[in-house]
Amino acid sequence: MLHLSSWEIGPIFRAMTRNKVGAVLIALQVAVTMCIIVNAVHILMERTMQMARDSGIDEANSFYLSSTGFADDFNDQVVIQTDLDAIRALPGVIDAMQINAIPISGGGWSMGLQTQPGAEFEGVGTAVYMVDDHVLNTLDLELIAGEAFKPSDIRWRQRSQRDWPAEIIITRALAENLFPEQSYQDTVGKTLYINDDEPVIVKGIIDKLQAPWVGWERLENAMLSPEQTLFSSSTYFIRTEPGRLDELMPAVEQMLADSNKGRVVRGLRSMQETRDRTYRRDQAMIKILTTVMITLTLVTALGIVGLASFNVNRRRKQIGTRRALGASQVSVLRYFMLENFLISSMGVILGAVLTVGLNIYLVQSLGLTKLHWWLIPVGMLTLWLVGQLAVLGPARRAAATSPAIATRTV
Amino acid sequence: MFNYYLRLALLSIRRNPILSALMVAAIALGIGASMTTITVNYLMSSNPIPQKSDQLYYVQVDSWDPNEPAEEPNEPPEQLTWTDANNLYAAQKAQRQVIMATTAAVVEPPSQDAKPFNAYIRLTTNEFFPMFDVPFLYGGHWQASADKGREQVVVLSRKSNDKIFGGENSVGRSLRLAGRQFTVVGVLESWYPAPKFYDVGTGAFEEPEDLYIPFLLKEELQLPNGGNTNCWKTPEDDSFAGFLRSECINYQMWVELPEEQDKQAYLAFLNNYANEQKALGRFPRPLNNRLSDVMQWMENRQVVTDDARVMLWLSLMFLVVCLLNTVGLLLAKFSGKSAEIGLRRAIGASRQALFYQHLVETACIGLTGGIAGLALAYLGLLGIGSLYGSFADNLSSLDINMVLLALLLSLISSIAAGLYPTWRACSIAPASQLKSQ
Amino acid sequence: MLNMQNVTKIFRTDLVETRALSDFNLHVKEGEFVTVTGPSGSGKTTFLNIAGLLESFDDGVYDLDGENVRHLNDTQRSRLRNEKIGFIFQSFNLIPDLDLFDNVDVPLRYRGFNGSERKRRIERCLELVGLANRMKHLPAQLSGGQQQRVAIARALAGEPRFLLADEPTGNLDSKMAHSVMQLLKDINDEGTTIVMVTHDPSLAREAKRNIFVKDGKVSDVTHISASAPEPIASISASGARHV
Ligand SMILES: Nc1ncnc2c1ncn2[C@@H]1O[C@H](COP(=O)(O)OP(=O)(O)OP(=O)(O)O)[C@@H](O)[C@H]1O
Ligand SMILES: [Mg+2]
């Protein structure tokens, strides 16, 4: 620190230019490593953020299963009512209902809603959940405007039936999509058109509910339609008290299977599992990228350690001579750290260019989003740090070189 | 001479164990990572039916909304309507053609102790099996008459035959399906095309269906829709028949056209058909009919996921880092040997001899790294398998091609990495190292 | 200037204990030129290393310029080496990656001189040894004698009061050796104290005093009458002509 002249930047640099290849190799390694790491972190953050989006329902304590009748005397309507009554009566169950599709599961029903009738107007896409009056409690939704469904609102829907109930509940996001200029509260009571010209009235607004398709750009557009379905299969959605899920899942399955032999009970799955399956690829990608980043950093660091150790050995005599000429241990340490810093600097500058280049390529050809600019300085800093840490060991060994080497070695 | 070089190489590797281990590790990691992702990409993009992939065509006709295309930019819809599927099939204009859809129904096995279960079913026509070279274990496919007569016949996958009939030859036996009595006419061999090219709508690497039944039974038994259903227009009435008659798409069609002129003729037929339909008031969009062969269709459906491509890119760059690393370490190692090289040169070794000597050493390190990399790739694929679950089951196996590629890649890349250091080491002048520095 | 009393140095390895110096006594006055001779392995280099603070010792007293150096820490010793002592090695020890300018620059950097001061000194010292015109050359491009002269320039650049040389002419022919010797004598005449280890009796005789080391002890001291020094210019010129 005493004198700037003892920092030897000039001589280090000139010595390096006589030994270009080694320095260039490390710089290139640092550059490519930075390019990979920054882009990987970017992808990682993108995925983590997607996965962190709230579905709006009580995922931790919910599960569902399906029942498919096959016996000739199977009466859907009766069975569904009996099933739901029985499930709701179970201790530990908060509420239960029939539903046509499961949020974030990947499969569901969508429709277009428009504010004016007529095929020529474009609709706003929305997920459709067919539910009964237990929906708010079962899905743990909050009604933020208007009214909830009453038992008398619920109708039965036949398999190929095309018309829609008179009133629906929509999510706040959908309300704001349909009427961008108005506050969502004012949407209550408005008439919307489904199937181009069939009117439905907005009865209420819920805070949040995700559609089944997590990759959809309008993920929070969802509507609740007050009806129970008489399709070939019925899916029951059940919310339990906290901590009772594991015990209730097999219990409900068993109860349904035992209560009626003329059907198949299948597809028992918790919401947690559904989430895991839906985001499995993202989760996998995150793990793979993390592994790649760690091993890559390790490889680069080991490369630096290897090359630096080698250089220290090769320069033992030179180090001894420097020590004999008055270099303190700190000066020797500083020499190697500074040398690495200069090489890393070239690396990270090139790395910044490569990083942006790869990101542009990924944006254009694979539809990734643009990099946050601050990731680049953070990446540069990280690689500087990795380099300094990697070179610390060899540099300390160099500093410990005895000045007597100067006269002892040939 | 080669043996001598080999001995020298091993000696030299043993003299610098840490440096050598670092190099082997770097190559192994690079090869391991890139082989893992190359394998995944290779399997994703592999041709599931190479013997006739260029004779099988997926059929698309544009029956969509006049106001907007089914998919941007002006793509025809991915699937067909019930009406078009049946019309095109009935025309029998290709050498072979098949129309199909998926559905699900409850199977009640004949034996009392086997429980009823919900089966995934492919509705299809009889030529599905010969057209896609589907192998049979017992029996065979149903006849065209069964399609027309809506006969209740069924072909079982090997797995469901194991489940329902304990794996015996079940041809001629019956089972209850969707509340009706069906007769088994055939049982398939294990058949897992990857990608599941004939229908990638619900995932390109899913397992094939459990059962296969004649297509028209959909109407007969009012079977529900599987896969994706998309409509641009509401059905005209509430009945099941009304739904089938609608403009909703849920059906796929493949045709077999051996020659280019067959393809041209079929395309002409499709255009002609579209014009007929226009006359009937359907097909409001401009003519936009398409035939895609298997690999084109896989490309169109983006069977190789973007994630796999990103990983491939990143891992190739990873390999570059590992190779740079190796170059640096080799350079260090060989420059440490410059005294020995100078001496050998002074004694009379030719530059060429020294070059070979060091190349052998490099190749040894490269091959060791490659083999270790192969082991890592195997672990990597196991890892990918466990991370992705069933999706990757068909995607994470190393075949002999991949093993050879890995070895070749490691050898080539390590020699490429070793070339410069070797050349540098060997261009040392014989005298320079004898002179005191 | 240099005062050693009963200095003892023992090298311990797993197998043997070597008494490289035992009860070594020597006093060197300011401005003296002392040559050290003795059989191989007698402890000459060890003595020089201790004198130059490159090595520590086990027992005894060593005063350098009136300062007891026994308990100085590494940084203080480095500082002393840098400021008071100049080193010349048998195998020159030039740094191969640096050109002559940067080589001479090395100790000046540690001294903390500013750029213009360093430049002035480097140029003057290279001038002194007759290699000013080859400032940008690498050591590998010089002959042994030239390399040793660069090493001398490097040792002189910090204007040390005390110059230590371990067989500086060991790798040179006798003509070159004598020209280097002459250079050292000229430096000595300017007031720098010099201690030089050598195997060459003819060189040893040119100093003012010669000590003979045997078995780690000073066994004999010879005082030599001063001979008339030759002018520096002729030596540098002869060195330059040698190129
Ligand atoms: N690092 C060491 N470890 C062990 N013994 C050592 C070490 N350095 C020197 N010695 C021993 O100390 C003794 C003195 O060595 P020194 O190098 O001082 O001899 P020298 O008089 O310089 O000999 P030469 O004229 O051959 O250079 C020798 O016996 C030597 O083997
Ligand atoms: Mg000696």
Side-chain angles (χ1 to χ4, degrees), chain B residues 272-293:
Chain B
N272 194 28
Y273 170 77
N275 283 328
E276 275 171 36
Q277 294 297 313
K278 277 176 188 292
L280 296 172
R282 292 184 65 225
F283 283 61
R285 297 182 64 75
L287 278 189
N288 186 16
N289 306 321
R290 196 173 297 170
L291 291 172
S292 317
D293 72 21

Side-chain angles (χ1 to χ4, degrees), chain A residues 19-22 24-25 28-30 32-33 35-36 39-40 43 47 68-72 119-120 122 159-163 195-196 232-233 261 263-264 266 277 280-285 287-289 291-293 295-296 298-307 310-311 314 317 354 358 361-362 365-368 410, chain B residues 19 22 25-26 29 33 67-68 104-108 116-118 120 176 178-179 203 206 221-225 232 234-241 243 305-311 313-315 317-318 320-322 324-329 331-337 384-391 420 424 437:
Chain A
N19 241 321
K20 276 187 226 72
V21 188
V24 167
L25 283 173
L28 278 179
Q29 254 184 76
V30 167
V32 180
T33 304
C35 170
I36 296 177
N39 276 290
I43 296 172
R47 299 296 165 96
T68 311
F70 58 84
D72 295 332
E120 67 276 22
E122 247 191 79
R159 174 127 80 135
S160 304
Q161 193 172 338
R162 295 167 307 145
D163 66 332
N195 278 343
D196 295 341
S232 52
S233 271
K261 297 290 177 199
R263 64 156 156 212
V264 175
R266 64 191 173 88
R277 291 174 77 99
R280 181 166 222 165
R281 294 192 195 183
D282 301 279
Q283 206 97 50
M285 189 77 170
K287 284 189 187 143
I288 291 168
L289 289 179
T291 317
V292 164
M293 272 163 39
T295 31
L296 188 59
L298 230 68
V299 167
T300 305
L302 285 180
I304 293 175
V305 171
L307 223 55
F310 177 82
N311 273 333
R314 192 172 57 103
K317 184 169 178 187
L354 283 183
L358 179 66
Y361 171 78
L362 291 177
S365 70
L366 297 173
L368 252 65
V410 279
Chain B
L19 217 56
L22 270 178
L29 282 172
N67 298 318
E68 54 180 346
V106 173
V107 171
E108 297 166 72
F117 66 96
N118 199 52
Y120 294 96
R176 267 177 79 80
E206 299 294 322
L221 307 184
Q222 303 211 345
L223 293 168
N225 285 9
W232 61 273
T234 324
E236 267 150 31
D237 64 74
D238 277 354
S239 68
F240 189 81
F243 182 70
T305 62
D306 283 353
D307 276 7
R309 287 216 176 94
V310 170
M311 285 195 286
W313 270 97
L314 292 185
S315 63
M317 289 173 75
F318 189 126
V320 168
V321 172
C322 293
L324 286 173
N325 206 311
T326 311
V327 176
L329 295 175
L331 216 53
K333 188 172 172 189
F334 287 167
S335 80
K337 282 173 64 178
I384 286 197
S386 76
L387 287 177
Y388 283 97
S390 63
F391 161 70
Y420 175 72
R424 262 243 315 217
Q437 16 178 327

